[in-house]
Amino acid sequence: MLEQVLREIRARRRFLVTSHARPDGDGIGSALACGQILRVMGKEAEVVMHDGVPRIYQNLPFADRVLKADAIPADFFANSLASPLLNSAAAAFANDAVILLECDSTRRTQLAGLEPCFLINIDHHVSGRNFAHVNWIDSSVMATAELVYRLARLACVPIDRDIATCLYTALMTDTGSFMFEGTNEHTFTVARDLVLAGANPAQCARPIYFGHSTAKMRLLGAALSNLHREGPLAWICVTQEQMHWLGAREEDCEGLVNYALSMADVQVAIFFRELPDRRFRVSLRSKGQVNVSTVAEHFGGGGHKCASGCSIEGPLSVAVSRVVDRLRAETEILSAD
């Protein structure tokens, strides 16, 4: 499938690269690297994100070139459609394409206008779906960054320091600093290659783990004040009122669930974040004995065995009850306590 992806890229001229809304390190790092790889190949490439680049990733190379938008830029097909031989969006497929990184649908991008585009889907999630014209899904790797790295290698694009920095950051964050279940010798081989290419591990890690805002630290305190523990299961939550009162952004919620998972003997942690529409965004994390992706998929979400997410209707007490009950039904580890 990698060969087919490369064939489509070589046959086309202009690309829009995107990832899911509320992007994490893998989504941002992979998109930035992919955009630059395309440029080195002589292509025109724009990286467009619905939510832009979160603060802790804004120091990455090429981050200042990312367009924040709710829809595909109006002129994306403009050059193709200007030709009398290309008078429809379908005809523009000959020159243009959208590359979606770690998305299970176009809806996950929250970008309008993707439907008439030629779509290339690159993903590493077990819950990945074949929604695009070309789908390269490989759940054997720990991050989409590994797939983008393989694409660059097959395309004979040199991995310079800037590309390596983006890919290393993506790999580091999606493996939980190489702690998550599934990290293996291949993961470290890729990481080693990226360091040899110029990525600086300390400089990549510093803004991620020591670049938090005051609002995020106060939000962490609010979340931990609502800590609940039942045997190997723990959960925390934050409300819209707390977010507003503390001046916290959506991106300040990233990683909070890991503090609940860090407790001894806790096998699964859940973070409930109230959304403006009173639904709850649910982040699930596991140390490896419990596959939380099956629970997320039950509620219309997805992800990995050790890191998944979904959205669920409130109120909070009902959301907690539904998710916790489903977790207990899925595993003997939790139901026994």
Side-chain angles (χ1 to χ4, degrees):
M1 189 55 68
L2 170 55
E3 290 78 7
Q4 184 180 354
V5 169
L6 185 55
R7 282 197 302 271
E8 294 292 348
I9 289 175
R10 284 175 170 161
R12 297 169 192 279
R13 181 173 58 86
R14 304 178 71 229
F15 293 86
L16 185 148
V17 181
T18 190
S19 185
H20 53 82
R22 303 181 302 276
D24 57 7
D26 193 21
I28 288 292
S30 295
L32 295 176
C34 186
Q36 182 61 14
I37 289 166
L38 291 169
R39 296 181 197 111
V40 174
M41 294 176 68
K43 310 296 182 179
E44 297 178 39
E46 295 285 354
V47 178
V48 181
M49 294 284 185
H50 178 269
D51 297 304
V53 180
R55 184 189 62 256
I56 59 175
Y57 302 116
Q58 287 177 358
N59 68 313
L60 286 175
F62 323 115
D64 59 344
R65 298 183 60 167
V66 173
L67 300 177
K68 181 179 179 181
D70 296 326
I72 288 182
D75 62 348
F76 180 63
F77 284 125
N79 292 342
S80 297
L81 296 179
S83 167
L85 299 178
L86 295 172
N87 56 10
S88 70
F93 286 176
N95 289 311
D96 302 337
V98 175
I99 297 179
L100 301 99
L101 301 170
E102 59 167 30
C103 292
D104 59 9
S105 67
T106 57
R107 186 170 57 87
R108 285 281 281 123
T109 69
Q110 292 189 19
L111 290 178
L114 289 172
E115 289 71 20
C117 305
F118 186 90
L119 305 177
I120 300 173
N121 168 33
I122 301 176
D123 193 8
H124 78 117
H125 291 92
V126 175
S127 56
R129 295 181 174 89
N130 295 323
F131 65 88
H133 298 90
V134 177
N135 299 278
W136 179 24
I137 302 172
D138 185 349
S139 59
S140 69
V141 300
M142 290 295 292
T144 298
E146 295 187 56
L147 304 181
V148 175
Y149 170 79
R150 286 165 55 185
L151 173 63
R153 293 289 298 271
L154 188 63
C156 298
V157 172
I159 305 292
D160 63 13
R161 180 180 62 186
D162 287 344
I163 294 175
T165 296
C166 293
L167 292 177
Y168 182 90
T169 300
L171 184 61
M172 173 187 66
T173 54
D174 230 36
T175 58
S177 293
F178 306 99
M179 291 191 300
F180 289 167
E181 191 82 11
T183 304
N184 55 32
E185 68 279 4
H186 174 72
T187 315
F188 285 105
T189 297
V190 175
R192 175 182 182 272
D193 289 348
L194 296 173
V195 172
L196 289 174
N200 184 311
Q203 290 181 6
C204 289
R206 194 170 294 123
I208 309 301
Y209 301 108
F210 301 112
H212 300 315
S213 66
T214 302
K216 177 163 184 171
M217 299 311 295
R218 288 173 174 160
L219 188 66
L220 172 62
L224 292 178
S225 71
N226 293 315
L227 174 66
H228 296 266
R229 171 82 185 269
E230 291 185 7
L233 175 64
W235 64 90
I236 56 178
C237 64
V238 296
T239 65
Q240 277 289 302
E241 182 180 6
Q242 289 171 320
M243 295 275 291
H244 179 74
W245 181 61
L246 296 172
R249 304 178 184 177
E250 194 171 282
E251 65 189 65
D252 290 323
C253 295
E254 183 174 350
L256 297 190
V257 65
N258 294 325
Y259 288 91
L261 189 65
S262 68
M263 291 186 294
D265 300 323
V266 167
Q267 293 299 323
V268 175
I270 319 169
F271 173 50
F272 296 88
R273 176 173 64 86
E274 188 179 25
L275 302 174
D277 63 2
R278 303 308 178 188
R279 288 168 56 84
F280 283 84
R281 177 67 185 170
V282 183
S283 299
L284 300 115
R285 296 294 184 270
S286 167
K287 289 179 179 174
Q289 294 188 45
V290 177
N291 183 356
V292 293
S293 69
T294 59
V295 176
E297 290 171 13
H298 175 77
F299 294 108
H304 307 289
K305 175 183 177 181
C306 295
S308 293
C310 60
S311 295
I312 191 170
E313 296 289 343
L316 178 61
S317 59
V318 175
V320 169
S321 178
R322 291 181 65 195
V323 174
V324 169
D325 287 350
R326 188 67 192 183
L327 273 165
R328 291 188 180 122
E330 289 282 347
T331 173
E332 295 179 359
I333 295 174
L334 301 181
S335 60
D337 287 83

